[in-house]
Amino acid sequence: MKRYKILIAGTLMLMVAAACNKFVEVPLPITQLNTAAVFADDQKANTAIRGIYASTQYSLGTGPFSGGLTTNLGVASDEFVKLTYGADEQQFFEFKLANTNGVVSGTLWGPMYNIIYQANVLLENVEKSPGVTPRTKDQLLGEGRFLRALNYFYLVNCFDSVPLLLTSDYRVNALAPRSSPEKVWAQIEEDLLFAQEKTGEAYMKEGVRIRANKWTATALLARMYLYRKNWAEAEKQASAVINTGAYKLDSLNGISLLASPEAIWQIAGAGANLYTYEASKLASNATPTTNMPFRLSPSLLAAFEPGDQRRVKWTRTGTDGFPGCFKYKIYSNTQVGAKAEGSFMFRLAEQYLIRAEARAQQDKLTDAIADVDSIRYRAGLPLIKNTNPGISKADLLQAIYKERFTELFGELGHRWFDIKRTGQADAIYSAHKTGWNATNLILPIPLSERQRNPNLSQNPGYE
């Protein structure tokens, strides 16, 4: 694979130079950009990992965590629609993906493997560096393995079997075959348990939550166990996050702020940006007199109950009469006095919904109702414990899925993954996707990658 044929020095340069001023304070001289220098001590090693975090930002919409997952999986599911689509977006909307789709290769697969490669470089070199102190070494190794696990989480959910690359050796990586989903999931779990143990509870930058800590790893563990239908562990991990007391549900207008107490982990805007990449994609120029670039689908609009304050606070209607996503309020640096926002990666509301679903699946219906009611209370909706205390397990699960839809829309493709993992795709997509085909629940392996690596097989339906 072309991306893995980068020389170590070049990758380390990327890890340092790509980091904006928000992350990098004192760049190393060009003459010192070698493995020993970059990981020589705590300060330099921390600079290197800040470079990896900077790589999660990318340019607008060209990376998975800078709008790529949110927008493309949003139009692939029943979350968003547009008046006009680019050619690659049209393929997502119609469920007619080609193995040459540029979003699949350049926005999802490529950037995620690039971050994995950088994480592997960091893990190898921090481990053997004599100048990095033991506590810093634990923290950085934990963060590196969390970042690797995060990207494999999305890769395995999007592509199913994927190459499992645990080294920076491009000679090994270039010809690596696909590993089974079970093997990838096992590595994700191993990495996250390691990160949970080694990273501290404090955040590495005071006042913002833009680097992973113990609870970030725990939040992803809870999500992973939910996806794997390990209900007891999903409940346990979500409870650990909720019970720590470090987070609380914020006001509906406050959740996107970098200072939000609901945030478990966010990605900050690059450089001096006050706005998020998602805002620029979802709410660009979203004044009351203009149209929204992405509109909420009829399915999402119908999912909001009367009086749902999320419909009021998190949407905005353009002159064409179509509401769009307005969770992120800051979409440019021209807005005077705006407070900085961060892209949602993990927040407390999701942990309540994870625990609600896990508890319902274990027939702990009263406890599950309490969790989902926490979310409904903030939204200004009637509580299930008052309106339907004897609700059946099946109906409660549907209520939780609906709550995930109206709570987590516009955030990293949650809806697309939820429909897939809960087995609702046929019922939902066949009703309004004319090109619906079950094979499209797994994305194609990019043709360009297969041409470089003859050991990569293709997913069904994309040959």
Side-chain angles (χ1 to χ4, degrees):
M1 299 176 191
K2 183 178 180 181
R3 291 183 182 272
Y4 314 132
K5 298 180 180 179
I6 304 170
L7 295 176
I8 294 292
T11 300
L12 295 174
M13 186 179 296
L14 173 65
M15 292 167 66
V16 175
C20 60
N21 291 336
K22 183 181 291 293
F23 292 105
V24 178
E25 297 163 2
V26 183
L28 291 171
I30 287 292
T31 55
Q32 295 183 33
L33 283 175
N34 59 68
T35 301
V38 170
F39 298 99
D41 55 38
D42 288 1
Q43 181 180 0
K44 292 184 176 68
N46 268 294
T47 296
I49 199 166
R50 287 195 292 268
I52 304 179
Y53 282 108
S55 293
T56 64
Q57 297 168 340
Y58 290 90
S59 300
L60 300 186
T62 62
F65 311 120
S66 58
L69 285 164
T70 296
T71 57
N72 292 287
L73 296 186
V75 298
S77 69
D78 59 346
E79 195 171 6
F80 295 134
V81 293
K82 295 184 71 178
L83 285 182
T84 59
Y85 297 88
D88 289 332
E89 286 179 326
Q90 188 76 30
Q91 290 181 15
F92 274 89
F93 178 70
E94 295 181 346
F95 274 102
K96 295 180 180 178
L97 285 165
N99 59 23
T100 55
N101 186 283
V103 168
V104 173
S105 60
T107 300
L108 303 179
W109 179 283
M112 284 192 276
Y113 270 113
N114 183 42
I115 295 172
I116 289 169
Y117 181 79
Q118 293 182 57
N120 285 339
V121 171
L122 177 107
L123 292 170
E124 292 166 358
N125 289 284
V126 166
E127 180 65 51
K128 65 185 180 184
S129 173
V132 177
T133 61
R135 181 67 197 98
T136 298
K137 183 171 291 189
D138 280 350
Q139 178 69 32
L140 296 183
L141 291 176
E143 288 185 76
R145 290 184 70 165
F146 165 79
L147 289 166
R148 185 169 70 183
L150 174 74
N151 283 274
Y152 273 123
F153 175 87
Y154 283 105
L155 282 166
V156 73
N157 277 293
C158 286
F159 299 96
D160 199 50
S161 302
V162 294
L164 185 58
L165 311 180
L166 305 178
T167 175
S168 66
D169 188 338
Y170 71 89
R171 294 164 297 184
V172 174
N173 295 340
L175 297 175
R178 299 168 69 185
S179 294
S180 69
E182 291 73 22
K183 188 173 181 179
V184 178
W185 281 114
Q187 186 62 50
I188 293 169
E189 181 180 24
E190 180 183 321
D191 279 350
L192 290 176
L193 290 172
F194 179 94
Q196 186 184 53
E197 177 186 355
K198 297 297 184 180
T199 55
E201 295 186 23
Y203 287 92
M204 299 300 290
K205 187 174 177 63
E206 186 176 353
V208 290
R209 296 164 176 178
I210 57 176
R211 283 181 61 175
N213 69 351
K214 173 180 180 176
W215 303 119
T216 310
T218 306
L220 183 50
L221 270 170
R223 187 190 295 176
M224 182 207 76
Y225 286 129
L226 185 80
Y227 278 43
R228 300 299 288 160
K229 296 180 170 54
N230 187 337
W231 314 123
E233 279 298 321
E235 178 187 8
K236 174 184 174 181
Q237 300 298 333
S239 292
V241 176
I242 294 167
N243 295 339
T244 182
Y247 313 101
K248 66 177 183 179
L249 295 176
D250 202 355
S251 70
L252 292 177
N253 281 333
I255 61 169
S256 61
L257 297 177
L258 279 175
S260 173
E262 185 166 334
I264 300 171
W265 182 46
Q266 299 167 294
I267 292 178
N273 289 344
L274 295 170
Y275 64 95
T276 63
Y277 290 138
E278 286 83 356
S280 69
K281 295 290 288 183
L282 298 178
S284 180
N285 299 320
T287 64
T289 58
T290 59
N291 298 331
M292 306 290 280
F294 285 83
R295 290 86 187 279
L296 305 188
S297 72
S299 297
L300 177 51
L301 290 172
F304 287 108
E305 298 172 43
D308 193 330
Q309 290 302 297
R310 292 169 297 195
R311 175 73 167 80
V312 176
K313 303 290 179 61
W314 289 352
T315 71
R316 176 177 280 183
T317 302
T319 55
D320 57 3
F322 287 95
C325 180
F326 203 55
K327 279 184 169 179
Y328 297 101
K329 314 298 184 186
I330 311 306
Y331 48 85
S332 75
N333 282 338
T334 63
Q335 295 178 288
V336 179
K339 295 181 179 179
E341 292 185 323
S343 298
F344 304 124
M345 293 299 294
F346 298 94
R347 60 186 180 93
L348 187 61
E350 183 202 356
Q351 297 300 304
Y352 274 109
L353 292 171
I354 287 173
R355 192 169 72 173
E357 185 177 341
R359 284 174 163 176
Q361 291 285 5
Q362 298 174 86
D363 299 307
K364 300 177 181 180
L365 302 191
T366 300
D367 290 338
I369 290 170
D371 283 334
V372 75
D373 274 350
S374 297
I375 305 304
R376 291 179 63 83
Y377 178 81
R378 179 173 65 173
L381 295 174
L383 304 185
I384 296 174
K385 71 175 183 179
N386 296 330
T387 60
N388 194 4
I391 188 171
S392 68
K393 175 180 178 179
D395 287 345
L396 179 57
L397 284 169
Q398 287 302 315
I400 293 168
Y401 300 153
K402 192 282 297 181
E403 217 59 51
R404 288 182 64 89
F405 195 14
T406 51
E407 178 70 27
L408 301 176
F409 73 94
E411 300 182 35
L412 294 169
H414 276 292
R415 176 64 172 174
W416 191 80
F417 295 119
D418 284 347
I419 290 174
K420 177 181 175 180
R421 69 178 179 83
T422 58
Q424 300 180 89
D426 279 332
I428 292 174
Y429 292 146
S430 61
H432 66 275
K433 294 281 188 181
T434 56
W436 160 243
N437 188 318
T439 59
N440 284 116
L441 285 175
I442 300 174
L443 305 185
I445 305 300
L447 176 62
S448 57
E449 298 294 336
R450 296 190 66 219
Q451 289 172 333
R452 286 190 283 266
N453 180 358
N455 295 324
L456 285 181
S457 59
Q458 185 56 276
N459 284 323
Y462 296 113
E463 292 291 352

